[in-house]
Amino acid sequence: MSMAKIRNLPQAFVKILLQILTSSYSGAYAYHTVNPIENIRKHQECQGEISRSELIKALVQFHNTKSEELSFVSKAATLSGAAVIGVFSWPTTEKTVWAAKLLWNWSLFLSTFSLISSAHQRLLRHLPRSEQDSQEYNDDKLQLALNLFLQPPVKVASLSAKPEARRISSRMLWIWQCPMMLMSYSWVLFLVGYALHLLTPVFDPSQAEISFTIALVSVSGCAFVVLNFIFCAGVCQMRLEKGSSLNGFLSYAPFR
């Protein structure tokens, strides 16, 4: 196996992992996140007036599609959380199998953090809302905007050498799609839990009891979502700090 293939293994693994994780919302993932970011990557060169205009247009497209997605996610996540809270008020849930209760708890965690994670999308403030805003975006602001989607530029050996095109950052791709992912899985878990609830007569009544282990697993699921929130918040902050100090093609390659 060549060294180039070995270096590309982590990206291939991330790509496969994303395909699995986004299976329940693949259409929305492609339309609201992947395709607009890919369009930005294609127009990352902003040397001439035409290429600069195309980049601004791509950034505006992403801003509009992502704002549309977040509006939908906020409504769907709120409805999902309300559905879980409503289910727990049913008297019949006392006899529901423990697995359904576990899934409902996770669903509530996911819907809640889907709403909270939307706060990371404050990054949209650094993108133009319309093509008329192009005059306000100088080269520094455009580089900051690109830093919210692409990997950091690689330092070239000489000033005369042309720098390599920047690739899409897997971390930023994860962050931009997180609210939709959490909302989607909150509904998946809720519906699976509801299906188990309907099958209550099939299970032994003793299966309705929640043990300490089950409670611990439920809390662990919440802890995982919290860690994901902290990770996303940290990456967002680092991207803004790195982007604000970006000048030309400085290298901070370890941060991807």
Side-chain angles (χ1 to χ4, degrees):
M1 184 179 292
S2 64
M3 290 300 296
K5 290 184 178 180
I6 294 176
R7 284 196 297 266
N8 289 331
L9 280 178
Q11 289 188 344
F13 173 75
V14 171
K15 185 176 181 180
I16 295 174
L17 180 62
L18 281 174
Q19 288 178 345
I20 296 174
L21 291 175
T22 60
S23 59
S24 62
Y25 59 102
S26 57
Y29 173 64
Y31 178 77
H32 291 106
T33 304
V34 176
N35 293 342
I37 294 181
E38 179 63 25
N39 192 32
I40 292 172
R41 185 196 64 79
K42 290 180 180 178
H43 297 98
Q44 60 180 285
E45 296 292 338
C46 53
Q47 303 300 325
E49 191 63 31
I50 297 178
S51 59
R52 179 188 178 88
S53 176
E54 290 297 324
L55 176 58
I56 292 290
K57 187 182 298 184
L59 292 172
V60 170
Q61 179 195 17
F62 180 86
H63 182 282
N64 294 338
T65 54
K66 186 55 64 173
S67 296
E68 175 185 310
E69 178 194 61
L70 290 177
S71 177
F72 168 76
V73 166
S74 63
K75 297 173 184 176
T78 301
L79 184 60
S80 174
V84 173
I85 295 174
V87 161
F88 277 125
S89 67
W90 297 350
T92 54
T93 56
E94 295 180 2
K95 301 179 181 179
T96 301
V97 63
W98 63 266
K101 299 175 183 177
L102 175 67
L103 294 177
W104 284 338
N105 280 320
W106 283 354
S107 175
L108 183 60
F109 296 151
L110 292 176
S111 61
T112 301
F113 277 90
S114 175
L115 294 170
I116 298 176
S117 296
S118 297
H120 298 324
Q121 313 306 316
R122 68 184 187 279
L123 300 176
L124 290 174
R125 294 181 299 180
H126 298 279
L127 304 180
R129 296 185 178 184
S130 66
E131 295 182 39
Q132 285 70 30
D133 296 337
S134 59
Q135 300 298 328
E136 302 177 9
Y137 279 78
N138 53 27
D139 291 342
D140 291 337
K141 287 188 176 181
L142 286 178
Q143 289 298 329
L144 173 59
L146 288 175
N147 200 46
L148 303 180
F149 305 100
L150 308 179
Q151 292 181 1
V154 178
K155 188 177 182 180
V156 294
S158 63
L159 296 176
S160 59
K162 184 178 180 180
E164 297 181 4
R166 300 167 66 178
R167 302 187 200 180
I168 295 176
S169 169
S170 56
R171 294 186 181 185
M172 294 309 299
L173 193 63
W174 172 266
I175 291 172
W176 284 117
Q177 63 89 46
C178 241
M180 174 62 78
M181 177 190 70
L182 296 175
M183 182 278 298
S184 175
Y185 277 107
S186 72
W187 276 108
V188 171
L189 296 181
F190 171 78
L191 293 175
V192 173
Y194 185 71
L196 292 175
H197 171 70
L198 294 177
L199 294 174
T200 295
V202 178
F203 299 101
D204 187 272
S206 62
Q207 296 296 317
E209 298 179 2
I210 299 179
S211 64
F212 173 78
T213 303
I214 297 172
L216 187 61
V217 172
S218 180
V219 174
S220 299
C222 179
F224 176 78
V225 179
V226 172
L227 289 176
N228 177 70
F229 174 80
I230 295 173
F231 167 78
C232 292
V235 172
C236 288
Q237 186 62 33
M238 291 179 67
R239 281 282 166 169
L240 291 176
E241 291 176 356
K242 293 290 186 181
S244 62
S245 61
L246 185 61
N247 183 16
F249 287 94
L250 296 178
S251 174
Y252 38 93
F255 184 75
R256 290 292 185 240

